[in-house]
């Protein structure tokens, strides 16, 4: 499986409009000036896949993720990660969509392939598809050193989870 | 249960040694069990000996050496059991150009088995990508567009992938 | 005592605003007293509003924006009361090329008032230096030699020994 | 004042031999491959000027700073920072030398212009020459973010010290 594209609305710096970030198979480079919104792509992935306990999104509360500029705020922030399945997910659709929205009141809604789902269902689905619970496949800025700083016990845990 | 753990440990360790050798030809990195007799009672140490030096505590290594060791470990795990995608945000921040190129080559190779989404501020890694996404900001709102790898300034001709 | 503090505060604040404007032309950064009436009872906030954006908590800024804001603050303090020397180790790690060049120009300017010792892995900053020291390692022992700025090829990591 | 040169022996990666690192006025760039020994120059400065409480030298104990390789260890580590005075120090020598040695037993010796001195004498001398106590003029790898992360009170303290 791989992420084919990411659809966002009102999320962090992406403004109050529907926007599609095309990704796809292989080695995708993300480039641009400081502050342009590159790392926010990683935050969108962490947000939608519910991995925020494992990773920081540089937000003190969920509602910080809702786009705001010059006094105006988007009504909500939503992110949809669209995977090409290729048999990795226990679903028989060619594409698998994982969606999350947070409203101004801080309430989250998850959807799998368009139907509302509970967080634990997303968690289980990702685990089946081989996305690790501690999300070591997502290295945010400065995060690479965690493999050096982790204790020998944490490292053993990481390896045990692979077994 | 211990048997399953040891299988992972040995395979990842084998990968780590080979990958680190590729990155630092006369250096070595490896995993070590704290408790050889009952592995699950102890932890797993990550040991590194960069080229020409002694095995030293990880903390006294330089920023670049730590980055290489950490990436080698991550790739070793990935080679054993790839996640469907990997996201790397500025992992080349503390790498010199030669090491960034080595990491780029490794990422190119491993991106045949898993999707690699790589954020970078420098051309070196970007030149190894199959496809490039450009991000810019206008009045605080991010704009997304696709770029050709050949559009990167700096010299694409000297990087044969 | 409060009077002396306010004099430093106002002068450094003035420097910070001007320096940040130079780095981020339509952005701004400034200091703010927590307690306007009795300054020494409160703290000093550092506020930044990068170009096109609102003033946001420092923590949600990007790595590059944080680096620029921090360097602007340091230069503002230096402009008020320079230390005899400054040592910077890879402060350009999270700067894009354009911002690294702006920082290089500022360092060039401020190095007339104080010595600037700047460790970098990228040519951009190195090109602004008056003099270059090369470091390499042979069998784990560091070698030191002087380089001409014109000798910098694309690669600071492939230095002839 | 400025650092004209740094003399080292047995310090970190600089081997068991006398070595001079030439610096001098203006903007000095330090370049070279990962692991070559660039940051160890900053550690040499922090060591000799007694600023280790303010800065990490990536050593758990002082004796970690003594060069060791393939089982062999230098007998001691010494660093001498030679400043051009230009009236910055309350001494009437053209150059001011601050020296520190650590022996295998962990004991430190300081010297100012060649004569043995106590640590507090070095501390006072540096303060007179305008080298700040919290050493904010020395930015080690990753340290730049401290100006962002510091509390409003720490920032007020930094400014008060300038008054
Ligand atoms: N809720 C929000 N509304 C509007 N803008 C936001 C919001 N949250 C974050 N931002 C903006 O997003 C920008 C940071 O984006 P990001 O971290 O993706 O930049 P970057 O491209 O990774 O930069 P760098 O190269 O410096 O790391 C900040 O300038 C911040 O102001
Ligand atoms: N006591 C010691 N004896 C011998 N070598 C040492 C000692 N202490 C540190 N080193 C070596 O110094 C090297 C690190 O040097 P340094 O941190 O200056 O590198 P660097 O040039 O800054 O690299 P980078 O660009 O990756 O930051 C390490 O490889 C370490 O093994
Ligand atoms: Mg970023
Ligand atoms: Mg270094």
């Amino acid at each position: 499986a791989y992420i084919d594209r990411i659809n966002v609305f009102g999320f962090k710096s992406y403004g109050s409009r529907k926007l599609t970030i095309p990704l796809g198979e292989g080695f995708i480079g993300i480039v641009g000036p400081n502050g342009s919104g590159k790392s926010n792509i990683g935050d969108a992935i962490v947000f939608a896949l519910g991995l925020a306990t494992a990773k920081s999104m540089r937000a003190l509360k969920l509602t910080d993720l809702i786009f705001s500029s010059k006094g105006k705020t988007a009504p909500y922030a939503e992110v949809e990660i669209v995977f090409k399945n290729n048999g990795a997910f226990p679903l028989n659709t060619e594409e698998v969509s994982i969606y999350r929205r947070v409203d101004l009141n801080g309430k989250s809604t998850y959807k799998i392939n368009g139907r509302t789902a509970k967080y634990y269902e997303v968690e289980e689905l990702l685990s089946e598809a081989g996305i690790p619970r501690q999300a070591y496949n997502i290295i945010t800025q400065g995060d690479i050193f965690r493999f050096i700083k982790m204790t020998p016990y944490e490292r053993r845990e990481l390896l045990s989870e692979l077994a | 249960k211990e048997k399953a753990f040891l299988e992972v440990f040995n395979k990842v360790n084998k990968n780590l040694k080979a990958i680190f050798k590729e990155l630092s030809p006369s250096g070595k990195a490896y995993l070590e069990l704290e408790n050889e007799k009952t592995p699950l009672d102890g932890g797993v140490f990550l040991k590194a000996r960069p080229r020409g030096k002694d095995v030293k505590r990880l903390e006294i290594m330089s920023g670049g050496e730590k980055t290489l060791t950490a990436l080698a470990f991550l790739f070793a795990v990935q080679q054993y059991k790839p996640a469907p995608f990997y996201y790397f945000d500025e992992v080349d921040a503390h790498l010199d150009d030669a090491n960034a190129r080595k990491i780029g080559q490794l990422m190119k190779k491993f991106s045949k088995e898993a999707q690699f989404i790589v954020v970078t501020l420098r051309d070196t890694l970007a030149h190894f990508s199959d496809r490039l996404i450009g991000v810019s900001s206008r009045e605080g709102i991010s704009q997304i567009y696709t770029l050709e790898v050949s559009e990167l300034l700096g010299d694409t001709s000297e990087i044969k992938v």
Side-chain angles (χ1 to χ4, degrees), chain A, chain B:
Chain A
Y2 58 86
I3 300 176
D4 187 69
R5 58 196 182 276
I6 301 175
N7 299 315
V8 298
F9 176 94
F11 185 82
K12 298 196 83 181
S13 60
Y14 303 118
S16 272
R17 70 203 201 285
K18 280 198 176 299
L19 180 66
T20 297
I21 301 165
L23 292 172
E25 239 177 338
F27 185 150
I28 322 297
I30 315 249
V31 297
N34 290 134
S36 55
K38 305 181 294 297
S39 298
N40 289 342
I41 294 174
D43 294 343
I45 295 171
V46 167
F47 168 72
L49 303 186
L51 299 167
T53 40
K55 298 286 159 184
S56 155
M57 292 184 284
R58 290 168 297 153
L60 280 187
K61 42 192 181 358
L62 277 184
T63 47
D64 285 346
L65 300 172
I66 301 175
F67 171 74
S68 82
S69 174
K70 309 189 190 351
K72 301 205 272 68
T73 302
Y76 53 85
E78 67 181 10
V79 174
E80 178 187 25
I81 310 287
V82 182
F83 292 89
K84 270 286 187 286
N85 192 348
N86 296 338
F89 291 84
L91 297 169
N92 54 23
T93 50
E94 191 177 316
E95 293 190 336
V96 174
S97 147
I98 296 181
Y99 165 101
R100 181 181 185 184
R101 183 179 78 233
V102 61
D103 295 309
L104 286 166
N105 59 14
K107 185 163 164 298
S108 266
T109 306
Y110 285 91
K111 292 184 185 177
I112 297 174
N113 280 350
R115 63 153 191 79
T116 303
K118 293 258 187 301
Y119 169 57
Y120 77 81
E121 296 181 72
V122 172
E123 208 181 10
E124 275 172 29
L125 188 67
L126 295 176
S127 172
E128 303 263 336
I131 290 166
R133 193 144 310 189
Q134 316 125 322
Y136 64 75
N137 60 321
I138 295 176
I139 313 286
T140 53
Q141 274 182 254
D143 195 33
I144 186 64
F145 298 116
R146 74 130 78 142
F147 296 107
I148 301 292
K149 291 187 202 161
M150 60 172 45
T151 67
Y153 298 101
E154 289 170 327
R155 198 169 289 114
R156 189 201 67 212
E157 272 315 294
L158 193 157
L159 294 176
S160 308
E161 297 252 320
L162 297 170
Chain B
K1 180 138 183 298
E2 182 177 289
K3 188 160 175 295
F5 170 78
L6 278 174
E7 181 179 327
V8 176
F9 175 84
N10 289 320
K11 198 74 187 68
V12 173
N13 203 7
K14 183 162 179 283
N15 295 342
L16 173 61
K17 290 173 183 176
I19 290 166
F20 194 82
K21 216 166 180 53
E22 219 175 312
L23 287 174
S24 179
S26 48
K28 62 181 166 83
Y30 54 94
L31 299 172
E32 201 177 74
L33 291 167
E34 179 176 23
N35 193 328
E36 293 258 0
K37 293 198 161 47
T38 48
L40 292 174
D41 289 344
V44 174
F45 295 117
L46 174 57
K47 301 244 165 181
R49 202 217 66 193
R51 163 179 46 215
K53 295 166 190 175
D54 301 341
V55 175
K56 294 222 163 78
R57 268 194 330 275
L58 294 177
E59 303 76 36
I60 82 160
M61 288 202 291
S62 78
E65 290 168 332
K66 283 180 191 164
T67 300
L68 283 184
T69 306
L71 286 171
F73 175 75
L74 180 59
F75 291 148
V77 168
Q78 186 236 352
Q79 213 174 16
Y80 174 76
K81 186 178 179 189
F85 73 91
Y86 289 82
Y87 170 84
F88 293 94
D89 203 325
E90 290 183 32
V91 292
D92 54 352
H94 298 285
L95 294 178
D96 62 40
D97 237 24
N99 279 327
R101 234 170 289 139
K102 286 191 175 144
I103 289 297
Q105 286 166 343
L106 272 188
M107 285 182 167
K108 190 84 186 176
K109 166 170 134 188
F110 288 125
S111 65
K112 306 278 174 271
E113 312 304 323
Q115 176 186 35
F116 273 55
I117 302 164
V118 180
V119 177
T120 178
L121 291 170
R122 292 154 61 184
D123 284 354
T124 315
L125 275 194
H127 275 126
F128 289 93
S129 60
D130 299 317
R131 206 162 33 265
L132 223 44
I133 302 292
V135 188
S136 70
S137 177
R138 238 185 59 203
E139 309 207 358
I141 299 179
S142 297
Q143 318 292 325
I144 305 281
Y145 46 97
T146 47
L147 281 175
E148 285 306 312
V149 181
S150 55
E151 278 179 71
L152 280 177
L153 307 163
D155 204 346
T156 35
S157 61
E158 65 181 1
I159 310 255
K160 286 276 177 328
V161 190

